[in-house]
Amino acid sequence: MPVDEKAYFEDQPGKKFDRCLANGIVKGGGGFVVGAVISLLFLRRRMWPILLGTGFGIGVAYKTCEKDLETFK
């Protein structure tokens, strides 16, 4: 990769969308893991903590993505 690589305006939405997608996977996965641990340790293997944790993670990622993509309106 060249050191003096220029970032064109047309490439910025794609890069931000890629970052949003990666952020959603990471935060959704983190919420899934936290929900699974809480479910296994405290709530006798119920499904709702896993879904709730995943939903919170994806919701936070969505809000962050929405804020990042606001600059292109």
Side-chain angles (χ1 to χ4, degrees):
M1 183 183 294
V3 175
D4 58 347
E5 182 178 322
K6 294 181 181 179
Y8 295 104
F9 181 75
E10 297 87 22
D11 296 335
Q12 289 178 357
K15 287 181 181 180
K16 286 192 177 194
F17 184 73
D18 289 343
R19 189 170 39 230
C20 287
L21 186 62
N23 196 13
I25 291 170
V26 169
K27 290 186 179 176
F32 179 85
V33 169
V34 169
V37 168
I38 289 173
S39 176
L40 288 173
L41 294 179
F42 301 115
L43 298 172
R44 294 180 286 161
R45 297 182 185 169
R46 304 272 187 217
M47 188 66 170
W48 66 267
I50 297 171
L51 296 174
L52 188 68
T54 305
F56 280 157
I58 292 174
V60 169
Y62 176 79
K63 192 64 176 173
T64 304
C65 183
E66 188 178 38
K67 194 168 114 179
D68 284 345
L69 292 177
E70 235 176 47
T71 60
F72 294 107
K73 286 186 179 180

